């Protein structure tokens, strides 16, 4: 089957509605507009922009998204109540292609809440879908908790909604209860059984409570669904929804067994994933499929060696296809010699076999103590194997500070083997300390970055401090960790100065066996 013969599956994104319903995830008005624009740009067919009756803010966001969006259908959610539907229509009516999505919980548990009998609910569905259809040509209807609704009743209400004018019937697995075989079977049987089913699009909307949302959505497509409801990063109530990036990439990579296409520009996936993570305040877990930090990262020696020889050994898609610059081979305790040599080359360092052996021993020792070994650590190892000890060492630091006046730092350092000390005042303990360091080792380096992070929680947490220095276009970074933030700051500053010294050849020692260009 060629690409053009494949069935098209419509992507319905509900990041701004179901995704925003995740406890703790809220987006500002402007952020919603930005995400809607990114969704439209990446080729999402339908954007569920919000729940207009829920709040004034939701109404404004849906209206403005409807007004601005160039290509996608703009949909709003409404309960099975006439005022909800009217409000929804008010919000979406200015879209180039508006849609009203109305729903009601049809399972026994959900019918019990408004205390409606089956007949009363059926009547409500008939009335509300008809009302929506009188306002808008494009109506979607959902029996919430469809997967726990009695089969006969589900068929009955779906038929009513189709007759009342719904053109899309969404079958939500609201509580993430179904399994792939059931998901496919349910859609297939509905299409076979319900009169009029051939004239509408069936949609699948899966929650991830058992971690099966993506599998269930794809199974539903195999059963005949042609609209997948999903969110960026799988955001959504409880364990979330089907993740857009997962279904889209699964269809792309496994087109051999799932011959369906989407209109999504997959190269835009990573960017929107990062934006949604930032604006929603829900960071993406490292090992999340497609968009996690580790999705294209390989640390073990065997994997890194394979990747260096042929990327297909451990990657089933290219990072570039989802908008990532390339595979990363982070160095850690599982990395092998081949990866270390590749990293050194990337950093512009050529070493002979003997020196590589030497660096590798030090690298393993460091990796045992440190979770991730960064580029600067590698460069430091290289210089350590060729240049001996650091020129500047912290020996002692005492700082007096408080509300009474300027802070005072008394500092002792060993500089090229010689003990030196200085006392300096400053605007706070870190300023006083850095000034004392500069008194003992005068330099022109400009402090470009000073950043403190707590590694763990609590007042006794280790502080990791990063310092970036710039001198005549040369950049050096230093890091250190200590339970005392000022000590960590002094060490990080000295660390950066040592690197600067090495890089500028100020120690005057020979650089044997290696040549490296400036990498920063
Ligand atoms: O999960 C669900 O059932 C929903 C409906 C409103 C479609 O989000
Ligand atoms: Zn949902």
């Amino acid at each position: 089957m060629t690409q053009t013969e494949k069935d098209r599956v419509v992507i319905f994104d509900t990041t701004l509605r179901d995704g925003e319903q995740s406890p703790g995830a809220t987006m500002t008005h402007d952020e919603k507009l930005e995400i809607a624009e990114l969704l439209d740009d990446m080729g999402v067919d339908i954007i569920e922009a919000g729940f207009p009756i829920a709040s004034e803010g939701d109404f404004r966001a849906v209206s403005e998204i409807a007004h601005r969006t160039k290509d996608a259908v703009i949909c709003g959610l409404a309960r099975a109540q006439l005022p909800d539907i009217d409000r929804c229509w008010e919000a979406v009516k200015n879209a180039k292609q508006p849609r009203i999505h109305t729903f009601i919980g049809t399972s026994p548990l959900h019918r019990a809440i408004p205390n409606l009998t089956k007949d009363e609910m059926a009547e409500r569905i008939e009335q509300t879908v008809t009302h929506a259809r009188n306002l808008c040509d494009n109506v979607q209807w959902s029996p919430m908790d469809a997967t726990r609704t009695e089969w006969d009743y589900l068929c009955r209400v779906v038929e009513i909604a189709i007759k009342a004018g719904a053109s899309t019937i969404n079958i939500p697995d609201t509580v993430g209860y179904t399994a792939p075989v059931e998901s496919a079977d349910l859609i297939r049987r509905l299409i076979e059984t319900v009169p009029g089913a051939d004239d509408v699009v069936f949609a699948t909307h899966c929650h991830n409570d058992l971690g099966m949302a993506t599998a269930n959505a794809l199974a539903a497509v195999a059963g005949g669904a042609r609209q997948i409801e999903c969110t960026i990063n799988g955001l959504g109530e409880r364990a979330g929804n089907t993740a857009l990036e997962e279904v889209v990439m699964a269809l792309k990579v496994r087109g051999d067994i799932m011959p369906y296409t989407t209109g999504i520009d997959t190269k835009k996936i990573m960017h929107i994933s990062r934006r949604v993570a930032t604006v929603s305040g829900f960071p993406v877990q490292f090992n999340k499929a497609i968009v996690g930090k580790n999705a294209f990262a390989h640390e073990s020696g065997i994997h890194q060696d394979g990747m260096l020889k042929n990327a297909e050994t451990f990657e089933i898609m290219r990072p570039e296809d989802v908008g990532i610059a390339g595979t990363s081979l982070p160095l850690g305790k599982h990395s092998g010699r081949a990866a270390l040599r590749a990293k050194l080359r990337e950093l512009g360092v050529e070493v002979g076999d003997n020196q590589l052996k030497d660096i590798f021993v030090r690298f393993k020792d460091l990796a045992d103590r440190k979770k991730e070994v960064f580029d600067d650590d590698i460069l430091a190892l290289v210089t350590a194997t060729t240049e001996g000890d650091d020129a500047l060492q912290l020996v002692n630091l005492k700082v007096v500070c408080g509300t009474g006046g300027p802070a005072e730092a008394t500092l002792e350092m060993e500089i090229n083997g010689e003990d030196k000390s200085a006392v300096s005042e400053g605007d706070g303990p870190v300023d006083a300390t850095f000034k004392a360091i500069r008194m003992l080792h005068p330099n022109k380096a400009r402090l470009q970055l000073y950043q403190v992070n707590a590694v763990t929680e609590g007042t006794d947490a280790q502080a990791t401090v990063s310092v970036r220095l710039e001198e005549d276009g040369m950049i050096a970074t230093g890091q250190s960790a200590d339970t005392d933030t000022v000590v960590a700051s002094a060490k990080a500053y000295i660390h950066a100065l040592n690197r600067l010294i090495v890089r500028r050849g100020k120690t005057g020692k020979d650089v044997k066996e290696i040549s490296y260009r400036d990498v920063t």
Side-chain angles (χ1 to χ4, degrees):
M1 186 178 267
T2 67
Q3 188 79 1
T4 46
E5 288 167 320
K6 289 178 178 177
D7 268 7
R8 174 84 144 80
V9 173
V10 165
I11 297 295
F12 175 108
D13 182 277
T14 181
T15 306
L16 297 173
R17 198 278 298 167
D18 208 321
E20 218 235 353
Q21 268 170 240
S22 315
T26 45
M27 300 178 203
T28 65
H29 182 77
D30 288 349
E31 287 164 351
K32 287 181 188 173
L33 300 187
E34 181 200 336
I35 299 301
E37 196 178 332
L38 292 175
L39 290 168
D40 194 31
D41 269 3
M42 85 186 295
V44 160
D45 302 280
I46 302 144
I47 299 173
E48 188 163 53
F51 195 172
I53 196 120
S55 71
E56 197 46 47
D58 251 40
F59 179 83
R60 270 197 323 117
V62 178
S63 312
E64 200 158 336
I65 290 168
H67 186 70
R68 290 173 173 221
T69 303
K70 292 192 222 103
D71 298 314
V73 172
I74 298 302
C75 175
L77 186 68
R79 288 170 299 185
Q81 291 174 13
L82 304 188
D84 270 47
I85 294 170
D86 291 341
R87 190 80 175 138
C88 180
W89 174 239
E90 271 307 302
V92 297
K93 70 178 182 197
N94 290 321
K96 285 199 181 116
Q97 305 177 73
R99 172 182 291 191
I100 295 174
H101 175 194
T102 180
F103 74 100
I104 192 162
T106 51
S107 66
L109 284 163
H110 285 272
R111 287 199 305 269
I113 292 173
N115 199 15
L116 293 178
T117 64
K118 283 183 174 172
D119 288 345
E120 285 164 345
M121 184 166 283
E123 205 176 302
R124 170 85 69 88
I125 293 164
E126 213 265 318
Q127 181 202 22
T128 49
V129 175
T130 304
H131 183 70
R133 187 52 214 271
N134 286 337
L135 297 169
C136 181
D137 286 348
N138 189 339
V139 173
Q140 168 168 333
W141 180 73
S142 297
M144 187 168 75
D145 207 13
T147 52
R148 293 191 300 170
T149 300
E150 305 92 322
W151 166 248
D152 288 348
Y153 190 58
L154 186 62
C155 289
R156 177 176 166 198
V157 288
V158 167
E159 184 179 347
I160 290 171
I162 294 174
K163 285 209 174 107
S167 45
T168 301
I169 300 292
N170 176 36
I171 302 298
D173 182 29
T174 305
V175 290
Y177 179 72
T178 203
V181 273
E182 283 176 337
S183 179
D185 195 51
L186 182 61
I187 301 284
R188 187 175 299 118
R189 286 197 299 142
L190 281 168
I191 294 173
E192 278 165 12
T193 313
V194 177
D198 286 341
D199 304 327
V200 300
V201 171
F202 274 80
T204 177
H205 177 114
C206 299
H207 279 266
N208 203 32
D209 299 65
L210 291 173
M212 295 194 283
T214 296
N216 285 334
L218 293 169
V221 170
R226 288 295 175 270
Q227 174 177 306
I228 298 180
E229 306 209 354
C230 48
T231 58
I232 302 294
N233 299 342
L235 216 57
E237 296 270 15
R238 306 179 309 282
N241 288 65
T242 302
L244 178 147
E245 60 278 5
E246 292 177 10
V247 279
V248 168
M249 289 311 291
L251 292 177
K252 189 173 168 120
V253 173
R254 294 309 314 272
D256 54 334
I257 55 158
M258 294 182 286
Y260 313 101
T261 54
T262 71
I264 300 295
D265 177 354
T266 62
K267 292 197 168 59
K268 305 215 159 136
I269 283 178
M270 202 58 203
H271 177 63
I272 193 164
S273 161
R274 288 187 179 144
R275 286 305 294 147
V276 167
T278 305
V279 303
S280 66
F282 273 46
V284 174
Q285 78 199 47
F286 283 9
N287 58 339
K288 176 116 177 68
I290 320 292
V291 290
K293 178 175 175 276
N294 289 354
F296 294 93
H298 311 265
E299 196 200 289
S300 95
I302 297 169
H303 288 219
Q304 291 187 337
D305 192 41
M307 286 298 299
L308 290 164
K309 290 178 176 133
N310 178 355
E312 283 180 35
T313 49
F314 291 102
E315 277 180 358
I316 56 167
M317 56 199 136
R318 295 180 316 156
E320 298 80 17
D321 291 343
V322 296
I324 298 172
T327 294
S328 99
L329 303 178
L331 293 181
K333 65 178 177 186
H334 302 113
S335 304
R337 216 170 290 214
L340 179 63
R341 189 189 281 285
K343 173 56 82 182
L344 287 167
R345 285 208 171 118
E346 190 190 313
L347 296 173
V349 181
E350 280 298 339
V351 293
D353 286 347
N354 283 345
Q355 198 186 351
L356 180 70
K357 226 188 255 171
D358 213 22
I359 298 171
F360 189 65
V361 172
R362 287 175 184 248
F363 158 72
K364 281 283 179 181
D365 177 53
L366 180 68
D368 261 340
R369 289 180 279 121
K370 205 163 180 281
K371 179 73 199 117
E372 197 173 338
V373 181
F374 298 103
D375 292 0
D376 265 342
D377 293 316
I378 302 289
L379 284 174
L381 286 180
V382 173
T383 49
T385 55
T386 55
E387 309 218 357
D389 291 336
D390 287 339
L392 312 177
Q393 316 248 5
L394 175 71
V395 177
N396 221 332
L397 174 66
K398 288 247 165 332
V399 180
V400 181
C401 62
T403 50
E408 188 185 87
T410 307
L411 175 76
E412 211 184 315
M413 281 173 69
E414 196 184 290
I415 301 183
N416 289 324
E418 208 182 310
D419 250 14
K420 298 200 168 171
S421 59
V423 178
S424 172
E425 286 191 346
D427 190 5
V430 175
D431 187 50
T433 304
F434 283 15
K435 279 185 175 144
I437 295 172
R438 277 199 296 276
M439 282 169 79
L440 294 181
H441 176 70
N443 63 83
K444 294 186 292 159
R446 222 169 41 82
L447 184 65
Q448 276 196 334
L449 172 100
Y450 168 72
Q451 189 173 299
V452 183
N453 291 309
V455 178
T456 51
E457 287 178 9
T459 50
D460 61 349
Q462 281 234 95
T464 55
V465 176
S466 305
V467 163
R468 188 165 65 223
L469 299 178
E470 185 268 336
E471 195 182 75
D472 293 336
M474 192 84 85
I475 291 183
T477 60
Q479 281 97 24
S480 188
D482 201 286
T483 45
D484 184 318
T485 310
V486 184
V487 172
S489 303
K491 285 185 183 163
Y493 190 41
I494 291 170
H495 189 199
L497 284 172
N498 275 320
R499 286 177 171 179
L500 208 52
I501 290 169
V502 170
R503 285 188 188 182
R504 312 206 84 215
K506 280 186 180 164
T507 54
K509 291 176 187 166
D510 283 344
V511 178
K512 296 184 219 107
E513 238 195 294
I514 67 156
S515 67
Y516 63 87
R517 59 181 158 75
D518 182 36
V519 292
T520 47

